[in-house]
Amino acid sequence: MGQLQKKFESYRLPQHFMELGVYPYFREITGKQGTEVEMGGHKVLMFGSNAYTGLTGDPRIIESAKAALDKYGSGCAGSRFLNGTLDIHVKLEKDLAEFVHKDEALCFSTGFSVNAGVIAMVGGREDYIICDDRDHASIVDGRRLSFAHQLKYKHNDMEDLERILQKLPYEAIKLIVVDGVFSMEGDLAKLPEIVELKKKYNCSIMVDEAHGIGVFGKQGRGVCDYFGLSDEVDLIMGTFSKSLASIGGFIAGDWDTINFLRHSCRTYIFSASNTPAATAAAQTALNILKSEPERLEKLWDVTHYALKRFKDEGFEIGDTESPIIPLYIRDAEKTFLITALAYERGVFINPVVPPACAPQDTLVRYALMATHTKEQVDRSVEILKGIFVEQGIIKA
């Protein structure tokens, strides 16, 4: 056995939960993502997806992906920098830039590579990157790759953010990077307050709209649009893997910054470009989002209904303002147990344990789609309440 194997031979935490019969990961789905899916030989209500718009199985998107596959083939066999740029990549970038009120946009193969690459590139050795301590892992990895000074403030604590900014050189580049919607807790960044601090301390702002696009703002343009602050945000990032029913991501900003990133960002110029099918699917989803405002109305109708149901039944759901509803358990082993019991009784939800949250904040994450019905919400709430009562988390 080599040294590398010796290092990991004692890692048996997953096996511990397997032995307990509550291991929740890598379950196989045997059909399309939807509000109900076939999994493990039985149907479950899907409340563990990020497909907020409910478009992953839309026949228009599937047909557009098939057409792109026929026209362009299965892949580009190269990076955007060289032989991998298609006309549909350029069209999608132009439409995304317009959608989020920016000059230009760049499309990447994954959302993770947007944050990992862009944040690493925009900050130099004399610059500063300041993050919320609950920012997504891709933001964390991006700042780790950067040569800039790295700082973080307590979650949504504007006093703590200002305390940090007060100590930094006024003329230095200071980039505040924040999730628009925090992916586990469902609460929003305090963007109006962050913008005020930007102006006061001469900062720049980057907002990750992964969970905001397709959910907030006019036609689902995101949290920046929702607050009317798109012009005040320097860089807007988004993904295709959630509301846009595909895979990939983008960064949008002013012409000069995007010009620099187009020719310098390592995760962009050294990665193969997004597949034709994925690009076409994202384009069609974006078109649907802009043309069907009733889809967002349905999402918010069922979201408000679910939020009220959980509150009325006594669940602790924190400060969520979105279709992401955290159901707090505050015990890691019970979090896995409750996830397993819910799955057995027909509800798929996601366990959230460290490092995705603090040890005292473990929860199960319940997320809604525009295609969920109130009857499905009722059924899931009844099942989950029974389990939470059994486990002593809430009262009957």
Side-chain angles (χ1 to χ4, degrees):
M1 181 183 291
Q3 293 303 109
L4 186 65
Q5 289 74 26
K6 285 182 180 179
K7 178 179 179 180
F8 300 117
E9 66 178 344
S10 63
Y11 177 65
R12 293 293 180 267
L13 186 60
Q15 285 66 35
H16 166 71
F17 290 107
M18 288 176 188
E19 290 167 5
L20 294 175
V22 296
Y23 182 74
Y25 305 120
F26 302 106
R27 297 191 187 277
E28 296 178 15
I29 298 173
T30 55
K32 294 174 186 174
Q33 288 268 0
T35 59
E36 293 191 37
V37 298
E38 188 79 26
M39 188 184 289
H42 72 300
K43 280 191 174 182
V44 293
L45 291 168
M46 174 52 73
F47 286 100
S49 173
N50 294 319
Y52 306 114
T53 53
L55 286 171
T56 49
D58 191 287
R60 293 167 292 180
I61 292 175
I62 294 169
E63 287 305 313
S64 69
K66 287 179 180 177
L69 195 62
D70 287 337
K71 181 175 181 179
Y72 298 98
S74 59
C76 298
S79 72
R80 289 289 304 279
F81 200 58
L82 298 173
N83 65 298
T85 292
L86 303 176
D87 53 354
I88 56 174
H89 289 133
V90 176
K91 172 70 163 61
L92 179 57
E93 287 174 339
K94 289 180 178 177
D95 287 355
L96 286 166
E98 181 277 330
F99 189 64
V100 297
H101 311 294
K102 293 298 170 190
D103 297 342
E104 297 276 344
L106 292 181
C107 289
F108 291 62
S109 300
T110 68
F112 197 107
S113 64
V114 179
N115 283 338
V118 170
I119 297 168
M121 286 305 303
V122 294
R125 294 183 186 276
E126 304 303 317
D127 304 328
Y128 298 84
I129 295 172
I130 308 103
C131 297
D132 188 292
D133 68 7
R134 292 190 189 172
D135 278 347
H136 189 264
S138 58
I139 295 175
V140 174
D141 282 5
R143 68 175 174 80
R144 285 174 176 170
L145 290 168
S146 173
F147 291 117
H149 301 282
Q150 300 169 27
L151 302 161
K152 59 183 179 180
Y153 59 94
K154 297 173 186 175
H155 177 55
N156 263 344
D157 187 331
M158 296 298 100
E159 289 184 5
D160 195 38
L161 175 57
E162 183 163 21
R163 178 187 61 78
I164 290 170
L165 296 176
Q166 286 172 340
K167 300 177 182 178
L168 304 183
Y170 185 81
E171 295 301 328
I173 292 173
K174 301 175 289 295
L175 179 66
I176 302 167
V177 187
V178 67
D179 285 319
V181 181
F182 289 91
S183 60
M184 297 297 108
E185 297 84 3
D187 54 337
L188 307 188
K190 294 182 178 179
L191 198 54
E193 292 93 330
I194 293 172
V195 167
E196 288 304 310
L197 291 175
K198 165 193 169 169
K199 295 175 179 177
K200 185 175 181 180
Y201 294 101
N202 191 31
C203 302
S204 301
I205 302 173
M206 174 176 169
V207 174
D208 180 329
E209 288 276 25
H211 299 269
I213 285 176
V215 179
F216 287 91
K218 182 181 179 183
Q219 298 176 312
R221 294 171 192 259
V223 171
C224 299
D225 182 86
Y226 171 75
F227 284 118
L229 293 171
S230 298
D231 289 344
E232 297 290 350
V233 174
D234 301 88
L235 291 168
I236 294 177
M237 174 271 182
T239 59
F240 306 156
S241 56
K242 299 169 178 66
S243 290
L244 297 184
S246 184
I247 184 71
F250 72 92
I251 189 73
D254 65 280
W255 189 94
D256 290 319
T257 303
I258 299 303
N259 178 53
F260 168 76
L261 291 170
R262 181 180 283 116
H263 296 91
S264 306
C265 184
R266 295 168 69 85
T267 58
Y268 179 75
I269 64 176
F270 293 107
S271 289
S273 56
N274 213 350
T275 66
T279 304
Q283 178 74 68
T284 303
L286 181 63
N287 294 343
I288 293 171
L289 198 57
K290 291 191 286 187
S291 63
E292 296 183 0
E294 65 273 14
R295 190 168 291 271
L296 266 69
E297 292 168 10
K298 289 178 181 176
L299 173 61
W300 279 105
D301 184 44
V302 75
T303 294
H304 290 140
Y305 183 78
L307 286 167
K308 185 176 188 305
R309 283 299 319 271
F310 280 116
K311 286 178 183 177
D312 290 347
E313 296 294 349
F315 287 83
E316 182 188 355
I317 63 171
D319 298 320
T320 181
E321 301 175 63
S322 72
I324 301 166
I325 304 179
L327 307 177
Y328 283 93
I329 297 169
R330 305 191 184 282
D331 179 297
E333 297 234 350
K334 278 191 176 181
T335 299
F336 283 121
L337 176 59
I338 286 171
T339 303
L341 290 172
Y343 175 74
E344 289 172 8
R345 299 180 196 184
V347 179
F348 185 92
I349 46 178
N350 293 309
V352 180
V353 298
C357 69
Q360 69 274 15
D361 292 332
T362 66
L363 58 96
V364 289
R365 181 183 184 274
Y366 178 105
L368 291 144
M369 301 180 238
T371 43
H372 276 123
T373 66
K374 291 179 180 178
E375 290 74 22
Q376 289 174 323
V377 171
D378 285 336
R379 199 174 357 143
S380 67
V381 172
E382 288 167 12
I383 290 169
L384 291 171
K385 182 176 181 181
I387 296 168
F388 272 61
V389 170
E390 288 171 15
Q391 297 303 316
I393 308 298
I394 62 174
K395 296 179 181 179

